[in-house]
């Protein structure tokens, strides 16, 4: 199987990392609810927090998903802060009300926030109490999406990690694929794995609570997202083994990811080729078209979703870009190592953030494309930089072969747009 | 604890950000966790500002909590002052920092900065965004305003315009022009566009124009008390209100003011015959208190609508809005729970909603046209074009805004005439809204889809629609069907009927004919 070769110049795995601690310009983990609640169709996410938390969810969602969404915020009020006992009573009452109104809900996540953590409202205890009360119809779990504990995509990690201890035990040798993917992408992945004769494949998160995801000592798991560090640890605690691989972005990443699984399950070369050759060729063609405007250009990543390292690998190796700085909120060697190995040496790898200093660096470097959060994109555009806002990368289907061209397109569109607009005043 | 899905207002520190972002030369040091930086996107994405809000967040993390979040705050404040060189800073806490009680005001004071430090005390667990803006602006004015002689020519300040305000940018421009026509200079407009040095000059004006009571009233009252500057009470949104506003300024300045109304088009547009169809359209009005009050008057006196519901989400305005509703023979809906608003709209089945972006969504769901008249609004309500709400041009803009979502006069007749036509069928909606036609399913909420007859519980009575009546009802165009159903049921109930037949429908129609 043709596993991508390490770059001759050496990768970035051992490159010195610029570690920064200062003002961060990132979302908190609550944001993950916006895509998780679409994925888990019988789950409700109840944030126990403040008006700020509710406002964040509403603003980050961009447009309001009307009808009643399957998330909400139980806003703490003065009285809840005064007495924790009362806060628990209040929470029970809100949950009772919610569950009686929404009989379709089978799993309820109590999501901790900064305020609930600072006042030490024990949501784990609350979840246990409420599980007993509402069993067997509803399972109640808890995790923290707070900004003092989690950065943006870490919310999904915390959510999946809290589900691992309650997954049923299995002795079967099964593949578990971990990470919330859009349905269309998930189906493509399952088709590819099935074509290699790998199955049954279990998914975390599953669409519904009573689907058959289980874990045990013979489980091997693959991650589809680079931000699932805690889930990785939780699965290892259950005896499962991680199939280490680059992440399935782009043709090369997808092939490497599938090849690692194929090797684990002893899939022969011919079968692998039969399953992947056609989509690989399509992906290459699509990338070639979409990356016409990317080739030879430079890119600078602000830390946001932990997707930065795998995406930098994709843009540099498959789209012909050079990376100037690749910032990630956290770097986790077991997860990011394989992508760092492939990322050609050269860029500054940075972890954490001091946003003002990073802005100084980006202004000095003047990259052709800056990947950053929503708060920074327009101000940087106004300074003449071309930007791609990073949140779209977690809201859009970008994994695996058939989306590889779209992924390159997400980056090339801002550059192309800048070249098509003719707005300068006549001289 | 209260379960909330969508909110009309953010937390109070977002109000403070609206003031800071509106101003120049002011910086806000906010003790807050990293996730709270989401608020930047309200300004950079929704309002499309091309600068970051002047806010430094301390972004403390869990590991800092045990040790020293106070030092973190002091470092952030010192760095921000060194980097941005503001003329003054405001300092405060978000909801989480309020709980750890670091006292940002005291900490910043202790730094011995050579610029004014204005501490904000915004109770996050009690108050909301508008309060935060109002209080912040008041504290800034109180700290920075300096006693000084009045300007030689008559001048006023414009108070209350902020960042992320609904059409504030254009209202300021429109009023500045209107006042210039009256021979009055604008001394300072604040917070929008003002520097701390400008705030110091506020007392030089002869009076204040309070544009938005929500965000400027405390400052206006304080300036009145401290510097004897009267402030205007009429908010000039609509034709009548603009004329009253000019009269009020005449009283304040003791001058006979003459204004050229040649740019004002609303009166003729609303009197011209095509507008006849607007008569008696039943509208529901919801938003912030100021805009709701202005639009209630416009709806009744300038558009000829029938106002069937009035309410606001900001409790600070509950009293005036209740009084206003009473004047309209209604009971005001004061709530920040959008589900309660949706329920009220569903019950009243208005023909049109004047509301915020929340009501726009409600309208979409119920198949009722909606015009946006108040914050909160989304990115499409920050138009590139000049589009004020205040003054004469504001009135023109509002006329267009209010008729845009409706089916036009002539078209309304055609729809009725060609009911069975495949292109004109009423589910197609207004012809000028290609992509946004209300879907037939949208009316499901109003229309029970039971096959032959619809059973509805009205109080203790059970009302049955007979098949022929139900069929007849379907022939009535969608934009008046809700009203026809309601009227018929009310009529049937008043007659003690339990069954509605085709005859009942037409008897009710005759009864309510106007
Ligand atoms: S950072 Fe904390 S307080 Fe702010 S929205 Fe996130 S969880 Fe809520």
């Amino acid at each position: 199987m043709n596993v991508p070769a390490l770059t001759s110049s050496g990768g970035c795995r051992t490159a010195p990392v610029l570690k920064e601690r200062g003002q961060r310009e990132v979302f908190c983990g609550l944001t993950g609810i916006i895509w998780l609640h679409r994925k888990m169709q019988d789950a409700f996410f109840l944030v126990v927090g403040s008006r700020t938390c509710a406002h964040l969810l509403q603003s980050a969602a961009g447009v309001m998903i009307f009808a009643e969404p399957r998330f909400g915020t139980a806003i703490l009020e003065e009285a809840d802060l005064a007495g924790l006992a009362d806060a628990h009573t209040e929470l029970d009452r809100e949950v009772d009300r919610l569950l009686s109104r929404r009989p379709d809900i089978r799993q309820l996540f109590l999501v901790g926030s900064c305020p609930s953590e600072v006042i030490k409202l024990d949501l784990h205890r609350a979840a246990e109490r409420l599980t007993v009360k509402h069993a067997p119809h509803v399972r109640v779990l808890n995790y923290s999406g707070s900004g003092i504990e989690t950065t943006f995509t870490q919310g999904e990690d915390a959510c999946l990690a809290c589900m691992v201890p309650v997954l049923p035990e299995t002795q079967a040798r099964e593949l578990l694929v971990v990470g919330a993917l859009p349905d269309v992408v998930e189906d493509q992945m399952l088709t590819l794995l099935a074509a290699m004769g790998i199955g049954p494949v279990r998914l975390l998160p599953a669409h519904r609570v009573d689907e058959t995801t289980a874990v045990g000592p013979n489980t091997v798991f693959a991650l589809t997202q680079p931000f699932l560090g805690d889930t990785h640890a939780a699965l290892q605690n259950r005896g499962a083994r991680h199939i280490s691989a680059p992440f399935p972005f782009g043709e090369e990443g997808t092939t490497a990811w599938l090849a690692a699984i194929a090797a684990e399950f002893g899939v022969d070369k011919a079968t692998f080729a039969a399953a992947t050759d056609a989509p690989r060729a399509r992906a290459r063609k699509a990338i070639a078209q979409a990356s016409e405007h990317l080739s030879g250009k430079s890119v600078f990543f602000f830390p946001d979703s932990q997707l930065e390292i795998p995406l930098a690998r994709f843009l540099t190796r498959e789209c012909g870009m050079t990376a100037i700085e690749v910032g990630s909120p956290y770097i986790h060697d077991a997860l990011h190592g394989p992508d760092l190995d492939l990322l050609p040496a050269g860029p500054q790898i940075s972890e954490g953030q001091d946003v003002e200093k990073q802005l100084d660096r980006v202004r000095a470097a003047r990259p052709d494309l800056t990947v950053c959060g929503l708060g920074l994109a327009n101000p940087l555009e106004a300074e003449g930089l071309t930007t791609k806002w990073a949140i779209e990368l977690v809201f859009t289907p970008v994994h695996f072969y058939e989306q590889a061209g779209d992924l390159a397109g997400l980056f090339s569109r801002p550059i192309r747009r800048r070249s098509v607009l003719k707005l300068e005043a006549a001289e | 604890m209260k379960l909330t899905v969508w909110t009309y207002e953010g937390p109070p520190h977002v109000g403070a950000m609206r003031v800071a972002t509106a101003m120049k030369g002011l910086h806000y040091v906010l003790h807050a966790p990293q996730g709270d930086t989401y608020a930047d996107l309200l300004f950079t994405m929704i309002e499309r500002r091309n600068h970051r809000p002047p806010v430094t967040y301390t972004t403390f993390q869990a590991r800092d909590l045990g040790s020293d979040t106070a030092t973190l705050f002091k470092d952030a404040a010192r760095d921000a002052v060194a980097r941005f060189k503001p003329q003054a800073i405001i300092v405060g806490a978000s909801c989480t920092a309020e709980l750890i009680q670091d006292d940002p005001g005291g900490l910043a004071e202790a730094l011995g900065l050579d610029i004014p430090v204005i501490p904000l005390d915004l109770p996050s667990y009690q108050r909301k965004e508008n309060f935060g803006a109002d209080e912040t602006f008041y504290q800034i004015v109180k700290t920075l305003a300096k006693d000084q002689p009045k300007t030689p020519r008559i001048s006023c300040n414009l108070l209350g315009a902020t960042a992320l305000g609904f059409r504030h940018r254009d209202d300021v421009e429109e009023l500045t022009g209107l006042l210039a026509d009256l021979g009055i200079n604008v001394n300072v407009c604040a917070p929008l566009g003002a520097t701390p040095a400008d705030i110091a000059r506020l007392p030089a004006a002869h009076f204040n124009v309070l544009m938005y009571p929500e965000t400027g009233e405390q400052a206006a009252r304080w300036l009145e008390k401290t510097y004897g500057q009267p402030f205007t009470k009429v908010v000039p949104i609509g034709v009548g209100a603009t004329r009253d506003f000019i009269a009020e300024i005449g009283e304040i300045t003791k001058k006979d003011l003459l204004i050229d109304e040649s740019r004002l088009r609303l009166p003729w547009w609303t009197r011209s015959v095509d507008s006849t169809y607007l008569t008696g359209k039943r509208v529901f009005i919801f938003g912030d208190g100021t805009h709701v009050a202005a639009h209630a008057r416009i709806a009744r006196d300038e558009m000829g609508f029938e106002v069937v519901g009035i309410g606001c989400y900001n409790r600070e305005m509950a009293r005036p809005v209740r009084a206003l509703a009473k004047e309209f023979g209604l009971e005001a809906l004061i709530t920040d729970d959008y589900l309660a608003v949706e329920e009220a709209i569903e019950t009243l089945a208005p023909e049109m909603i004047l509301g915020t972006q929340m009501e726009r969504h409600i309208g979409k769901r119920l198949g009722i046209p909606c015009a946006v008249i108040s914050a909160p609004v989304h990115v499409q309500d920050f138009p590139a074009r000049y589009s004020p709400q205040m003054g004469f041009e504001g009135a023109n803009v509002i006329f267009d805004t209010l008729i845009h979502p409706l089916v036009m006069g002539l078209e309304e007749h055609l729809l009725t005439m060609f009911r069975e036509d495949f292109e004109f069928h009423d589910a197609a909606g207004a012809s000028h809204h290609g992509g946004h036609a209300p879907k037939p399913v949208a009316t499901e909420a109003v229309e029970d889809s039971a096959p032959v007859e619809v059973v509805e519980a009205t109080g203790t009575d059970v009302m049955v629609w007979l098949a022929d009546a139900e069929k007849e009802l379907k022939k009535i165009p969608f934009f008046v069907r809700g009203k026809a159903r309601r009227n018929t049921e009310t009529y049937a109930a008043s007659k003690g009927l339990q069954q509605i037949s085709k005859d009942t429908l037409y008897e009710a129609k005759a009864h309510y004919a106007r």
Side-chain angles (χ1 to χ4, degrees), chain A residues 26-31 47-57 73 111-117 144-150, chain B residues 13 32-38 60 94-97 125:
Chain A
V26 284
F27 290 142
C28 60
L30 295 184
T31 324
V47 176
V48 183
S50 63
R51 176 164 298 281
T52 315
C53 307
H55 200 234
L56 163 107
L57 284 174
T73 308
V111 188
S113 67
C114 303
S116 78
E117 275 168 31
S144 169
S146 82
I148 54 176
E149 294 277 6
T150 61
Chain B
H13 70 260
Q34 59 183 359
D36 290 5
T37 61
Y38 80 87
F60 57 85
S94 77
C95 55
T96 308
Y125 297 89

Side-chain angles (χ1 to χ4, degrees), chain A residues 21-28 46 48 50-52 54-69 71-78 80-81 87 90-91 93-94 98 101 114-115 118-119 121 147-151 330 355-357 359-360 374-379 382 389, chain B residues 1-14 27 33-38 40-42 44-46 48-53 55-65 72 83-84 94-96 98-100 124-129 336 338-339 342 357-358 361-362 365 376 378:
Chain A
R21 266 201 75 183
Q23 185 188 325
R24 289 165 160 250
E25 179 82 23
V26 284
F27 290 142
C28 60
L46 181 62
V48 183
S50 63
R51 176 164 298 281
T52 315
H55 200 234
L56 163 107
L57 284 174
Q58 169 166 337
S59 312
V63 275
M64 299 193 299
I65 314 136
F66 217 66
E68 250 188 287
F71 63 77
T73 308
I75 295 186
L76 294 162
E77 289 165 330
E78 205 75 342
D80 304 306
L81 304 177
E90 291 267 307
L91 180 59
R93 195 199 54 208
E94 286 303 329
L98 173 72
R101 202 160 44 94
C114 303
V118 170
I119 64 169
L121 183 61
I148 54 176
E149 294 277 6
T150 61
T151 299
Y330 297 99
V355 69
E356 303 298 347
K357 287 191 192 147
L359 285 166
D360 289 344
L374 291 173
L376 297 176
N378 267 335
W389 20 298
Chain B
M1 217 174 271
K2 192 165 180 292
L3 185 65
T4 305
V5 181
W6 307 118
T7 66
Y8 287 91
E9 287 182 79
H13 70 260
V14 167
H27 201 83
Q34 59 183 359
D36 290 5
T37 61
Y38 80 87
D40 282 0
L41 80 86
L42 303 170
T44 64
M45 296 300 287
I46 297 179
R48 297 182 210 254
R49 282 188 172 257
N50 60 6
H51 278 84
R52 290 170 69 208
V55 183
T56 295
Y57 305 82
T58 56
T59 62
F60 57 85
Q61 295 180 285
R63 60 171 179 229
D64 303 316
L65 286 183
L72 204 63
R83 181 176 277 269
F84 298 105
S94 77
C95 55
T96 308
E98 186 180 331
L99 297 171
I100 59 179
S124 308
Y125 297 89
Q126 294 166 26
R127 306 303 295 267
K128 290 177 240 167
E129 182 178 330
D336 64 349
Y338 84 97
L339 289 172
E342 183 172 48
Q357 64 164 323
M358 315 285 241
H361 283 277
I362 293 171
R365 217 157 90 86
H378 208 58

